Amino acid sequence: MNEKKKLELYLHIPFCESKCKYCDFLSASADSSVHKAYVDKLVEEIRAQGSNYKGYQVNTIFIGGGTPSILSGVWVSNLMSAIYESFVVEASAEATIECNPGTLDAEKLSYFKQSGINRISLGLQSAIDEELERLGRIHTYDKFLESYQLVREAGFHNVNIDLMSGLPSQTLESWKTTLKNVVRLKPEHISAYSLIIEEGTEFARIYNTEEGKKLLPSEAAERKMYKMTADFLQKFGYERYEISNYAKPGFQSIHNTGYWTGAEYLGMGLGASSYVFKRRFHVERDIRKYMAIDFENDITPLYQEVQELTLEDEMSEFMFLGLRMMRGVSGEEFLSRFDYNIYNVFGEAIQRNKDLGLLINDGSHIRLTARGIDLSNRVMSDFILS
């Protein structure tokens, strides 16, 4: 009997109570009738896709957005039921839902748990109310604490907290205050990202000016925050396993690790991206067109901008995604996957970055040095095969 291949599932919920000032994700506010109609359509998509993946076994489910927790518990349960009815799902599958503080209650969390969700990702960003207000977040730190307590009382034992550094007017001291407050709560996982000013956002309008840039921490201050994060969290038992992610032993995100290590994933819902069958594609991004799709008879709108990956594409992705992991990339795994010696393909780029002190050999792996992490974008660009 052939063993089924692993598949990660991602569901996109494109709704929020209000758009954060820094956000460039595919999301917007809408009323509950739109939420319900969208969930019904997404259930149709899940059922239509299930028959295409009979040779796969789902090992992770991730419901992201937007703010998935804006949905009712019943609707989230409907989505999970459709997945279990349409796909083969591992009994121990990691199932995550992203939640914003202030959108949770005990009944909703009970539905989440009963539906098979076993991991909660809470978007805090900062423990300083003034910083949250500048971001356009709708919650305060106290409201976050209420939501966190509800999650624990509901019996969830795998919780991630999202944080963000490099915020307008943020200081090293205010960032340290956020870190201190979070570790006191003892979450199993912490994601700590640096703010990126994305084009088309309100932040781009405000801060992509000479005056606006003065309100952001300097590059030197950002690097200090980044280093402080790793040093501080390590003292409290959080292992840094990826450039921006930290976990207690046994609680690394299986789903996100799959992205960085080349696992196949299927995205469903408005604009969701996929990587399966050596192809990248995404679902229709116009919600009116998405809602008009007849999934029973025509699933072609699920395959927008299809990119057939070449061997060179796959090798490049293996390197610049894998180097995000603290363990780095394995030459043995490269050989096993592509039937090429890693040094025959990337020897020049590897040596150049080793000479610059940005990469190091660590046993059978090649990984970023501390300085390499600071200059990771520069390093990874070296591994794009033209």
Side-chain angles (χ1 to χ4, degrees):
M1 184 176 183
N2 291 331
E3 185 178 345
K4 290 182 181 291
K5 294 187 288 185
K6 292 185 181 297
L7 180 69
E8 301 192 339
L9 296 185
Y10 173 82
L11 304 187
H12 187 65
I13 309 299
F15 306 119
C16 292
E17 289 194 16
S18 65
K19 190 89 167 177
C20 294
K21 296 176 182 178
Y22 59 89
C23 179
D24 74 331
F25 293 155
L26 186 57
S27 62
S29 59
D31 62 37
S32 59
S33 64
V34 177
H35 296 174
K36 176 63 167 62
Y38 179 83
V39 167
D40 290 344
K41 182 58 67 172
L42 182 50
V43 166
E44 290 179 21
E45 181 183 352
I46 292 166
R47 289 174 175 159
Q49 283 283 39
S51 60
N52 296 324
Y53 295 90
K54 296 301 184 184
Y56 287 84
Q57 187 170 41
V58 173
N59 68 315
T60 71
I61 301 164
F62 196 104
I63 307 177
T67 305
S69 56
I70 204 172
L71 299 179
S72 75
V74 173
W75 295 343
V76 171
S77 183
N78 289 346
L79 292 172
M80 292 294 289
S81 294
I83 289 172
Y84 277 90
E85 290 165 5
S86 307
F87 292 84
V88 177
V89 182
E90 288 182 3
S92 60
E94 176 191 88
T96 304
I97 186 168
E98 290 184 332
C99 303
N100 271 3
T103 63
L104 296 173
D105 56 44
E107 181 183 28
K108 186 179 290 189
L109 286 163
S110 177
Y111 271 107
F112 291 175
K113 193 169 182 61
Q114 290 173 30
S115 72
I117 290 170
N118 51 34
R119 184 173 184 269
I120 299 289
S121 182
L122 272 174
L124 169 58
Q125 315 313 344
S126 171
I128 310 298
D129 286 346
E130 292 81 5
E131 293 176 357
L132 291 172
E133 187 174 355
R134 291 188 200 104
L135 288 172
R137 303 291 286 179
I138 62 171
H139 66 271
T140 61
Y141 182 58
D142 283 345
K143 179 60 69 174
F144 164 80
L145 290 176
E146 290 176 18
S147 295
Y148 185 82
Q149 185 174 354
L150 283 170
V151 167
R152 289 307 199 189
E153 289 174 352
F156 287 94
H157 304 295
N158 191 353
V159 179
N160 169 63
I161 296 178
D162 278 340
L163 302 177
M164 191 176 288
S165 62
L167 307 182
S169 302
Q170 189 179 52
T171 65
L172 283 168
E173 281 308 307
S174 70
W175 176 237
K176 190 170 186 177
T177 296
T178 289
L179 293 176
K180 284 181 177 178
N181 286 344
V182 168
V183 297
R184 288 192 191 106
L185 299 173
K186 301 180 180 179
E188 286 71 29
H189 191 284
I190 296 172
S191 296
Y193 295 98
S194 293
L195 172 68
I196 297 174
I197 308 294
E198 302 285 3
E199 289 301 322
T201 64
E202 188 172 345
F203 264 26
R205 181 182 61 79
I206 298 170
Y207 298 110
N208 278 351
T209 64
E210 287 304 313
E211 287 303 309
K213 288 174 182 175
K214 294 176 184 177
L215 300 173
L216 297 172
S218 67
E219 186 176 333
E222 275 200 69
R223 286 191 179 178
K224 286 180 181 178
M225 289 180 192
Y226 218 57
K227 186 175 189 308
M228 176 196 294
T229 305
D231 293 344
F232 186 86
L233 294 181
Q234 184 178 26
K235 293 176 184 175
F236 289 87
Y238 292 92
E239 175 195 1
R240 185 185 198 178
Y241 68 98
E242 190 269 346
I243 286 178
S244 301
N245 284 272
Y246 304 79
K248 294 281 191 178
F251 288 96
Q252 295 183 2
S253 168
I254 300 170
H255 186 87
N256 287 337
T257 297
Y259 288 151
W260 303 315
T261 55
E264 290 186 285
Y265 59 89
L266 174 66
M268 293 178 283
L270 188 70
S273 296
S274 298
Y275 167 57
V276 286
F277 313 131
K278 298 185 184 297
R279 295 183 299 169
R280 292 196 182 279
F281 52 88
H282 65 80
V283 179
E284 171 61 56
R285 291 189 172 118
D286 184 316
I287 192 165
R288 290 169 297 182
K289 292 180 180 178
Y290 177 80
M291 296 300 292
I293 298 172
D294 178 4
F295 286 118
E296 286 190 13
N297 298 303
D298 181 17
I299 64 169
T300 55
L302 299 178
Y303 305 103
Q304 302 285 312
E305 299 181 6
V306 178
Q307 177 194 3
E308 302 280 351
L309 296 186
T310 65
L311 178 61
E312 288 77 12
D313 291 333
E314 291 187 281
M315 288 178 172
S316 292
E317 291 192 4
F318 178 92
M319 296 300 291
F320 64 71
L321 291 175
L323 284 171
R324 292 190 62 88
M325 303 288 289
M326 292 300 98
R327 70 183 183 221
V329 296
S330 163
E332 292 178 6
E333 186 179 344
F334 189 92
L335 179 63
S336 174
R337 186 176 297 192
F338 304 115
D339 203 25
Y340 279 90
N341 185 294
I342 194 169
Y343 290 98
N344 290 343
V345 181
F346 292 112
E348 185 178 331
I350 291 170
Q351 190 59 52
R352 179 166 56 252
N353 283 283
K354 285 172 70 174
D355 291 343
L356 292 170
L358 306 177
L359 286 179
I360 190 173
N361 276 97
D362 188 1
S364 62
H365 285 68
I366 301 159
R367 63 174 178 82
L368 292 169
T369 62
R371 184 164 177 263
I373 292 171
D374 287 340
L375 301 173
S376 58
N377 288 340
R378 170 181 167 178
V379 177
M380 292 166 189
S381 67
D382 258 1
F383 291 93
I384 299 174
L385 294 171
S386 56

